[in-house]
Structure formats: structure tokens, C-alpha cells
Amino acid sequence: VINIWCHDIGREHGAGKPLLKTVLEVNLKLFDNNQKTVLLFAIRDKSKTPLDALAATISKDMDTIWENIPKPAGREGAKLADHFEV
């Protein structure tokens, strides 16, 4: 569960992007990826921004983080959706 304030979605440090990057990297190294890991975002104090727009920003950010982390041998072409359910 990733607990995030609505106003921090899209921000580098407020949204915990460095920590999310570490979580993705470690998960790839330590766990068997025959099953997906669920990443559930709990959005706190939702603003007037439509939920679809917030979800799109989170998805875009997660894809960007995924593209920029080193992948273990044999998983270089893997997509985020292959290992995680967001």
C-alpha cells in the first residue's frame, strides 16, 4: 500500500518516487516473479482533480520509474505490468 497525499501526485520527492524506485528494484532481485505484486495507491484528501487524471499521472510516473531502473539478466525487456498490478 502506497499512502499518498493527492497534492503530492506527480511530485518527485513528495510522491516518494525515489522510494518507489527502490521498492521496484528490490522486488525484482528478491522475489519470484511468477506472480504479480500488487501496488495499491491510497490517495489521501482527494482534490477536485478527476480520479482518472490522478490515475493517469500515477501510471505515467510508475512507467517512467520502471523504464529507468536496471533489470536483472533475462528481464531487460520486461514491462511493469509483467511484474506488478498497479
Side-chain angles (χ1 to χ4, degrees):
V1 175
I2 297 98
N3 187 5
I4 186 169
W5 290 96
C6 184
H7 63 270
D8 284 336
I9 294 173
R11 294 182 182 173
E12 183 67 23
H13 292 284
K17 289 182 187 178
L19 179 58
L20 285 171
K21 178 182 176 202
T22 301
V23 168
L24 297 181
E25 289 173 337
V26 171
N27 188 284
L28 275 179
K29 291 177 187 175
L30 295 180
F31 299 105
D32 178 18
N33 288 319
N34 289 332
Q35 60 184 10
K36 293 182 182 183
T37 299
V38 175
L39 298 175
L40 177 67
F41 284 82
I43 301 172
R44 297 181 60 192
D45 295 340
K46 186 184 170 311
S47 66
K48 294 179 182 179
T49 305
L51 189 56
D52 290 342
L54 296 172
T57 300
I58 289 171
S59 292
K60 182 179 141 246
D61 288 347
M62 292 302 295
D63 287 337
T64 301
I65 292 168
W66 179 259
E67 290 170 7
N68 292 310
I69 64 170
K71 318 282 187 309
R75 296 187 189 164
E76 295 88 353
K79 298 189 182 317
L80 178 68
D82 295 339
H83 299 281
F84 298 93
E85 184 178 336
V86 179

